[in-house]
Amino acid sequence: MADILYFNGRFTTTDERVLGVEDRGFQFGDAIYDVIKFLERRPVLLADHYRRMERALRELEIRSPWTESEFERVVQQLLERTVAADGIVYVQISRGEAPRAHFWPESISPTVVAYSRVFVFPDAAKKERGIRVITVPDERWKRCDIKSVNLLGNAFAKKRAQRAGADEAILMADGFVREAASSNFFAIKNGGIVTHPLDPHVLPGVVRDRVIGLALRARIRVDERPLREAELFDLDEAFITSTTQGVMPVAEIDGRVIGNSRRGTITEALQVTFDEVERSSPQAEPMRAQ
Ligand code: PLP
């Protein structure tokens, strides 16, 4: 079934082939993207996603196609046309289309696509059971703080996880944990949380930021530092965060069970409070600046 598609100022469906072959997103990976969750056709944490997209566009010198209120309006119009109650909106902004050359013309206009799609979020059983992960080398480029469409390293890591019967891959570099292929990674030891600091090695996850805020509010210690590989196998609990997975317990890393093999109490508490944030205040202001 075709999905509703917003393309450069008009609405159509994903049945229409809208992109030119010389779009720089297609030829150079010269584009950024974002994934926004919606529940009962209300976007969740939209302002956080907008802020992250704007930063990525600035960093890559791609002209922003919209103000925040114009962006909100596009998402609202897209969701008004969407049949599914719950799902995701995928937004991609490329630098635009021009005859193929590494240099881009200064006058280029961005190509903007956004479409909504039904998505089945993890159910209660999965959220309790958690996921299996494997460790793989981080083979991505050096600006992982920008949500660009250069996802080959992530896609290979994820494929390796799938072939190993796991759900997610943790990306390792120089003996340290960075993040996961499509989520941020959190470790829990002796009642405190450890997660990688915000720097060019990790994506500033919207859920990561919220969960740190919730943990601090619950007086849980949060240490933003790279976790050593050796620490990975001596944890009490671990979880990943992302827009589609929320707070998801990690049950096993490289076949080794984490903690006592059940969802840990801190993970569960954060999962419950984050789910409430998503449901109750989708447009709330962020608790921490990114
Ligand atoms: N890290 C990577 C590499 C990701 O691709 C994602 C989400 O797609 C995340 C972290 C989590 O980000 P968010 O919480 O904003 O979904």
Side-chain angles (χ1 to χ4, degrees), residues 159-230:
K159 195 68 198 168
R160 280 179 66 176
Q162 188 188 46
R163 286 181 175 142
D167 306 275
E168 177 60 302
I170 303 182
L171 307 175
M172 311 294 303
D174 308 322
F176 289 96
V177 176
R178 284 183 171 166
E179 59 176 333
S182 61
S183 54
N184 293 108
F185 181 79
F186 288 74
I188 300 174
K189 184 71 186 173
N190 299 330
I193 292 180
V194 180
T195 194
H196 200 286
L198 292 184
D199 70 11
H201 298 310
V202 299
L203 186 80
V206 163
V207 183
R208 174 194 181 279
D209 188 56
R210 289 285 168 159
V211 164
I212 290 175
L214 293 171
L216 293 174
R217 205 151 73 181
R219 301 193 183 285
I220 298 168
R221 202 174 61 250
V222 180
D223 204 356
E224 292 184 66
R225 65 162 175 89
L227 188 80
R228 284 187 303 280
E229 191 165 4

Side-chain angles (χ1 to χ4, degrees), residues 33-35 49 52 140 147 151 154 171 179-184 203-208 241-244:
Y33 78 105
D34 219 293
V35 175
H49 288 280
R52 180 170 65 189
R140 301 172 302 164
K147 203 163 167 64
L151 291 173
N154 309 60
L171 307 175
E179 59 176 333
S182 61
S183 54
N184 293 108
L203 186 80
V206 163
V207 183
R208 174 194 181 279
T241 61
S242 77
T243 294
T244 57

Side-chain angles (χ1 to χ4, degrees), residues 16-270:
E16 187 185 337
R17 293 284 169 252
V18 290
L19 281 185
V21 292
E22 290 194 302
D23 192 278
R24 291 182 62 93
F26 176 58
Q27 292 187 323
F28 291 94
D30 191 354
I32 63 113
Y33 78 105
D34 219 293
V35 175
I36 298 145
K37 179 172 179 172
F38 62 91
L39 293 174
E40 287 163 19
R41 276 192 226 110
R42 274 163 55 89
V44 174
L45 305 175
L46 194 61
D48 303 33
H49 288 280
Y50 178 77
R51 253 192 303 278
R52 180 170 65 189
M53 277 193 291
E54 285 300 299
R55 175 180 176 272
L57 292 171
R58 261 196 320 276
E59 290 290 314
L60 296 182
E61 299 175 31
I62 295 175
R63 189 153 59 72
S64 175
W66 40 36
T67 62
E68 184 161 8
S69 55
E70 286 164 349
F71 167 68
E72 280 168 10
R73 181 100 189 100
V74 167
V75 173
Q76 189 194 336
Q77 288 177 331
L78 187 65
L79 294 181
E80 277 164 10
R81 292 164 167 78
T82 299
V83 178
D86 300 346
I88 54 166
V89 173
Y90 177 85
V91 183
Q92 181 170 322
I93 303 165
S94 84
R95 193 177 305 278
E97 190 178 347
R100 188 186 180 282
H102 287 67
F103 315 103
W104 58 83
E106 295 298 336
S107 60
I108 195 164
S109 320
T111 304
V112 189
V113 300
Y115 58 88
S116 52
R117 171 156 295 170
V118 65
F119 192 91
V120 181
F121 299 106
D123 60 15
K126 174 96 191 265
K127 282 159 79 168
E128 187 176 351
R129 193 169 63 243
I131 56 166
R132 281 194 278 240
V133 307
I134 59 164
T135 54
V136 302
D138 188 354
E139 293 174 341
R140 301 172 302 164
W141 77 322
K142 293 183 181 168
R143 289 303 306 275
C144 298
D145 55 321
I146 297 171
K147 203 163 167 64
S148 88
V149 299
N150 294 270
L151 291 173
L152 206 47
N154 309 60
F156 264 98
K158 205 94 181 172
K159 195 68 198 168
R160 280 179 66 176
Q162 188 188 46
R163 286 181 175 142
D167 306 275
E168 177 60 302
I170 303 182
L171 307 175
M172 311 294 303
D174 308 322
F176 289 96
V177 176
R178 284 183 171 166
E179 59 176 333
S182 61
S183 54
N184 293 108
F185 181 79
F186 288 74
I188 300 174
K189 184 71 186 173
N190 299 330
I193 292 180
V194 180
T195 194
H196 200 286
L198 292 184
D199 70 11
H201 298 310
V202 299
L203 186 80
V206 163
V207 183
R208 174 194 181 279
D209 188 56
R210 289 285 168 159
V211 164
I212 290 175
L214 293 171
L216 293 174
R217 205 151 73 181
R219 301 193 183 285
I220 298 168
R221 202 174 61 250
V222 180
D223 204 356
E224 292 184 66
R225 65 162 175 89
L227 188 80
R228 284 187 303 280
E229 191 165 4
E231 294 176 274
L232 202 50
F233 299 103
D234 184 30
L235 298 177
D236 298 330
E237 305 177 31
F239 62 88
I240 54 129
T241 61
S242 77
T243 294
T244 57
Q245 302 303 302
V247 175
M248 176 58 70
V250 171
E252 255 181 58
I253 303 177
D254 288 340
R256 285 191 253 183
V257 172
I258 299 301
N260 62 8
S261 87
R262 310 222 9 240
R263 172 177 55 184
T265 49
I266 294 179
T267 304
E268 184 178 355
L270 290 171

